[in-house]
Amino acid sequence: MTNGKLQIIPLGGLGEFGMNCMALRWQDDIVVIDAGLMFPESELLGVDIVVPDITYLIENKEHVRGILLTHGHEDHIGGLPWILSELNVPVYGTEFTLAYVEGKLEEHKMLDETELIEMMPGGRFTLGPFTIEPIRVTHSLVDCVALAIETPVGVVVHTGDFKIDLSPPDGKAFDLHKFAEYGKRGVLLLLQDSTNVDRQGYTPSEWSVKPRLDEIFSRTKKKLFFSCFSSSIYRMRIAMDLAFHHGRKVAVIGRSMVESSEIAQDLGYLDIPNGLLIHPGQIADHAPENVMVLISGTQGEPMSALSRAAVDNHKHARIAPGDTVLLSSRVIPGNEKSIYRVIDHLYRRDAHVIFDDGHAGLIHVSGHASQEEQRLMINLLRPKFFIPVHGDYRHLKKHAEIAQSMGVVDLAMVIEDGDVVELTRDDIRKTGTVTAGRVCIDSGSTADVVEDLVIRDRRHLSEDGFVIPILTINKLTGMVERQPEVISRGFVGGDPELIETARQVVARTLEESSAEEKADYGVIKEKIRIDLKRYIQKNTSRRPLIMPVILEI
């Protein structure tokens, strides 16, 4: 079929951030690297996640030997339930990555029928004509690997997400020696993470946040709310060490934060001293200066623990005047509005808020390599050919230019999702394309696939119609000026009695919401949508499109 040529076929992650998925093919054998998702832009109404179009893999399902995972972030493992519903193949990952995968597959009731195989850095294994060696790399998550794949035409190295951290908090350093060994033996192709190609210099070590965080801990007089990505195990470890050192008990709040910390404890990445952790219900039993709350919601997600705490709507997390809230994370582009909205709420509570404001000293470091580390990796491996991965087109283009300008690689090539690249020992060229693109999935279910947004919306409206709750809110007072109205069109079961009860559901949601929540349209719309969706589904088994409208007066 390929007559002695190796094919590289990206299906996601080249031309966008997220949705990372790449196929390597030699004749009748295919291995897939990563199976990620992407969170939708705001214009994709009603879509919860976006996954790669795997038509090519489905068409060749009898040739797919397995899925290799570089690490456990959503943009690398989040598409697995969807992909595995079409392809029943083994999944290979490190111990920590597979712990995340297990939780995800259990949620989708797919764990029992999926074969999960642990791979260890340095432990070589064979899949068809491919011999794979995972190599330890460092990132913002633990237990991450690059993949060195020996193929009949030469070695292909896929870095996964990485930065070069020689002293990470878990002591498992980036394996420079192994990369240098491969460089001496000869590398045909390097596929390298492009995320931070715009940043010059080096990305600091995870430890570099500790001095500034230590200073914040020592200055904080009341409760300290510490928020970071729930997958930032290193950051959680540093925060817990500092809490112990400063005599603070730790309460963990937020589902994702609780799950991650439990997995990290089970696998030995978090060594928590006896008596340090308290139940969230015990926060009030301790003096404020003796408590740290590790809380999820660093991106301002409307129903996250921090967003709810910021408007006094959390059972245990109460933010009082003088408390400190530390957001130890970066602002992901597109989330600025929701993050600053939460920060506004926190300031209204007279909390002291610390976020990435350019202050001297770091409260967050990236998990991705900057330009000098990217150059170092290229110099270590000295690949014949180079293809940048993970990023928008401008990142890929700039990365290829940097690699080419170093005089190490013969050819740096920019490719995008769906391109087919063929390699021999001496040549690399684009030879065609396969079907690639995005598949939109509604409500996180593997069943509700949206082939095309327009078709999906038309089908959704034609089957279940739509329901529009209309609220009139006074912007200054946050008061509801008149009774909410509920309008439905094309909604089967929209009899007057049901609509009247739906109106009461909306009214009750409003009554149970604080003035501040009502002034925060993102939160109030989401609360109304969830409550109304639950009521309508329960009483009619229908799923109309629910679009709350707020009239501001």
Side-chain angles (χ1 to χ4, degrees):
M1 215 246 10
T2 47
N3 293 327
K5 291 181 179 174
L6 176 72
Q7 292 188 325
I8 308 288
I9 306 164
L11 298 172
L14 275 73
E16 68 269 307
F17 281 109
M19 218 169 68
N20 297 298
C21 186
M22 176 168 284
L24 268 64
R25 179 169 190 158
W26 176 264
Q27 295 175 355
D28 284 342
D29 294 278
I30 298 172
V31 291
V32 180
I33 300 173
D34 289 328
L37 60 71
M38 190 166 75
F39 292 105
E41 295 98 349
S42 56
E43 61 264 24
L44 291 179
L45 289 168
V47 170
D48 293 316
I49 60 168
V50 183
V51 296
D53 184 332
I54 56 159
T55 303
Y56 173 77
L57 298 180
I58 295 167
E59 287 169 354
N60 294 278
K61 61 164 66 175
E62 69 277 15
H63 303 309
V64 181
R65 303 290 167 247
I67 298 173
L68 311 168
L69 302 174
T70 57
H71 67 288
H73 274 141
E74 285 290 321
D75 57 335
H76 294 260
I77 67 168
L80 269 177
W82 153 246
I83 291 174
L84 291 172
S85 70
E86 301 287 343
L87 303 171
N88 191 7
V89 296
V91 176
Y92 295 78
T94 58
E95 183 183 36
F96 191 89
T97 303
L98 290 184
Y100 268 7
V101 169
E102 278 178 20
K104 188 167 284 300
L105 295 181
E106 205 165 356
E107 204 179 301
H108 288 82
K109 300 182 174 53
M110 298 174 73
L111 185 55
D112 294 343
E113 65 253 31
T114 305
E115 186 183 2
L116 300 179
I117 300 169
E118 187 183 334
M119 58 186 189
M120 314 261 299
R124 292 156 67 89
F125 60 97
T126 302
L127 279 179
F130 303 106
T131 301
I132 296 130
E133 181 173 6
I135 306 173
R136 168 89 59 206
V137 296
T138 43
H139 182 43
S140 54
L141 185 59
V142 297
D143 216 6
C144 304
V145 291
L147 298 170
I149 302 172
E150 287 181 31
T151 76
V153 290
V155 174
V156 175
V157 175
H158 189 299
T159 64
D161 285 358
F162 80 100
K163 69 176 182 182
I164 299 178
D165 192 343
L166 299 178
S167 60
D170 63 358
K172 295 176 179 177
F174 185 95
D175 195 346
L176 279 173
H177 298 292
K178 183 61 74 176
F179 285 105
E181 270 176 41
Y182 271 99
K184 281 180 192 155
R185 284 163 49 191
V187 172
L188 180 66
L189 172 67
L190 171 60
L191 301 154
Q192 191 182 49
D193 174 21
S194 307
T195 307
N196 273 357
V197 73
D198 288 334
R199 293 194 188 182
Q200 295 183 347
Y202 295 87
T203 302
S205 165
E206 287 294 320
W207 277 123
S208 58
V209 298
K210 194 170 182 181
R212 171 88 170 111
L213 296 184
D214 192 17
E215 179 201 331
I216 291 166
F217 270 80
S218 58
R219 285 185 176 185
T220 298
K221 300 286 183 275
K222 292 194 174 178
K223 288 196 295 294
L224 175 59
F225 288 83
F226 190 104
S227 188
C228 62
F229 294 116
S230 59
S231 59
S232 297
I233 308 299
Y234 293 136
R235 200 72 44 82
M236 287 161 68
R237 179 178 175 150
I238 289 169
M240 287 187 178
D241 287 350
L242 288 169
F244 181 69
H245 177 69
H246 288 275
R248 289 178 182 267
K249 299 288 186 189
V250 176
V252 183
I253 290 180
R255 193 184 75 153
S256 58
M257 198 66 91
V258 169
E259 284 174 2
S260 280
S261 63
E262 285 174 354
I263 291 170
Q265 279 180 81
D266 290 346
L267 300 182
Y269 287 94
L270 278 180
D271 185 14
I272 300 174
N274 286 338
L276 181 69
L277 286 184
I278 58 173
H279 185 274
Q282 298 174 287
I283 292 172
D285 301 343
H286 296 268
E289 63 273 16
N290 295 335
V291 174
M292 179 189 92
V293 179
L294 194 58
I295 190 164
S296 61
T298 181
Q299 294 303 300
E301 303 89 337
M303 297 310 282
S304 65
L306 184 61
S307 288
R308 283 165 33 222
V311 290
D312 292 337
N313 187 22
H314 196 285
K315 198 163 147 191
H316 302 300
R318 294 280 173 196
I319 294 168
D323 287 349
T324 295
V325 181
L326 171 62
L327 302 178
S328 180
S329 63
R330 73 186 178 97
V331 174
I332 292 178
N335 293 349
E336 297 89 349
K337 222 171 175 178
S338 46
I339 293 170
Y340 291 126
R341 191 176 63 217
V342 169
I343 290 171
D344 279 350
H345 291 316
L346 295 168
Y347 275 123
R348 283 198 184 96
R349 302 221 140 28
D350 284 330
H352 181 43
V353 188
I354 301 168
F355 54 101
D356 199 359
D357 54 1
H359 187 284
L362 291 165
I363 58 169
H364 173 67
V365 290
S366 173
H368 297 272
S370 298
Q371 281 182 18
E372 291 308 313
E373 291 149 277
Q374 292 169 344
R375 287 193 175 99
L376 175 56
M377 183 78 105
I378 293 166
N379 271 324
L380 276 176
L381 290 169
R382 306 192 76 77
K384 190 175 182 68
F385 304 121
F386 178 88
I387 293 177
V389 295
H390 307 171
D392 294 332
Y393 192 85
R394 67 181 188 278
H395 297 92
L396 306 179
K397 183 77 176 158
K398 183 170 184 179
H399 200 176
E401 286 168 359
I402 287 172
Q404 194 73 64
S405 69
M406 289 172 63
V408 174
V409 304
D410 287 4
L411 182 67
M413 178 184 276
V414 179
I415 63 172
E416 291 186 274
D417 297 346
D419 285 342
V420 177
V421 171
E422 290 192 349
L423 280 139
T424 63
R425 290 183 187 279
D426 307 306
D427 187 39
I428 182 170
R429 62 185 60 195
K430 286 185 209 176
T431 58
T433 57
V434 301
T435 303
R438 304 174 175 195
V439 176
C440 299
I441 295 184
D442 197 357
S443 65
S445 146
T446 51
D448 295 335
V449 174
V450 185
E451 292 85 359
D452 177 275
L453 195 58
V454 177
I455 294 171
R456 173 200 159 275
D457 275 350
R458 284 179 180 168
R459 189 175 66 233
H460 198 154
L461 292 169
S462 67
E463 285 174 0
D464 291 333
F466 62 87
V467 173
I468 302 182
I470 301 173
L471 324 173
T472 309
I473 292 181
N474 185 312
K475 184 165 172 52
L476 293 175
T477 64
M479 299 290 287
V480 179
E481 290 293 320
R482 61 175 73 99
Q483 283 296 309
E485 292 173 55
V486 175
I487 294 171
S488 73
R489 291 290 181 272
F491 170 45
V492 180
D495 61 86
E497 191 176 321
L498 184 107
I499 294 296
E500 174 57 24
T501 320
R503 197 181 62 71
Q504 289 166 17
V505 169
V506 175
R508 190 161 55 247
T509 305
L510 286 168
E511 279 166 26
E512 290 167 1
S513 302
S514 66
E516 199 166 353
E517 280 180 296
K518 283 184 265 197
D520 188 330
Y521 296 161
V523 169
I524 199 67
K525 279 183 177 180
E526 190 63 8
K527 283 184 76 172
I528 286 168
R529 199 182 67 75
I530 289 169
D531 288 353
L532 209 48
K533 180 180 175 185
R534 195 180 293 129
Y535 166 72
I536 290 171
Q537 261 181 297
K538 187 178 172 187
N539 287 279
T540 67
S541 301
R542 298 277 175 184
R543 297 179 62 242
L545 199 63
I546 298 171
M547 298 191 297
V549 172
I550 292 177
L551 301 178
E552 223 180 62
I553 61 166

